Amino acid sequence: MAKPSPNDRKYTREHEWAKDEGGETIAMGITDYAQEMLTDVVYVELPKVGRKVRQAEPFAVVESVKSVSDIFAPVSGEVVEVNQALEAAPEIVNKDAFGEGWIARIRMSHPAELDGLMTAEQYEGHIKVAPR
């Protein structure tokens, strides 16, 4: 059973989370629901630091024993940091999707995009009707 989605972040329909870290930077990753649907994560293709990303466009990949899934940028901006720990231990995403399993930090070029994402309550409603 997926852990409840924390209220301190915003969510996409594609199951990414974005946590405003103050200023113009967010941390992002996939939700606990997403890692549960993927099952055992075996590889994370991280984006390159410095890469410019556009909201809702794929910029990373998570591979599990079950499937390969694109990770979509929750906001537009520039990748300023990636979670190098995932290269050696991708299973961290399964163990702590909302914490140590973060994927990247993005410096937002349009901070207002964050306001267009779902709240935790809206996301919980979204996954209740999502196909399993």
Side-chain angles (χ1 to χ4, degrees):
M1 179 94 175
K3 296 175 188 147
S5 303
N7 288 320
D8 65 348
R9 52 201 82 198
K10 297 288 196 117
Y11 300 88
T12 70
R13 296 194 176 285
E14 293 77 28
H15 313 291
E16 291 87 18
W17 57 262
K19 182 178 180 185
D20 189 344
E21 296 192 311
E24 52 191 38
T25 303
I26 61 141
M28 68 78 52
I30 63 171
T31 65
D32 201 61
Y33 173 84
Q35 71 77 22
E36 191 175 83
M37 293 299 103
L38 285 167
T39 66
D40 297 330
V41 174
V42 295
Y43 178 71
V44 179
E45 181 183 305
L46 297 168
K48 299 251 185 275
V49 170
R51 179 175 173 181
K52 304 277 193 241
V53 297
R54 290 177 51 95
Q55 185 178 42
E57 289 188 355
F59 80 113
V61 175
V62 173
E63 191 173 321
S64 73
V65 294
K66 199 165 138 179
S67 66
V68 176
S69 298
D70 284 330
I71 303 302
F72 299 90
V75 295
S76 300
E78 180 182 347
V79 176
V80 293
E81 186 180 357
V82 296
N83 188 351
Q84 298 288 345
L86 299 180
E87 290 181 344
E91 66 277 5
I92 296 170
V93 172
N94 292 118
K95 293 179 181 138
D96 190 11
F98 289 123
E100 295 298 315
W102 65 277
I103 293 172
R105 285 193 165 85
I106 299 170
R107 183 180 308 115
M108 297 181 282
S109 53
H110 305 290
E113 289 176 341
L114 209 51
D115 298 332
L117 301 179
M118 291 183 277
T119 63
E121 185 178 352
Q122 290 167 327
Y123 180 71
E124 290 293 322
H126 172 66
I127 61 177
K128 281 190 174 111
V129 297
R132 292 202 176 242

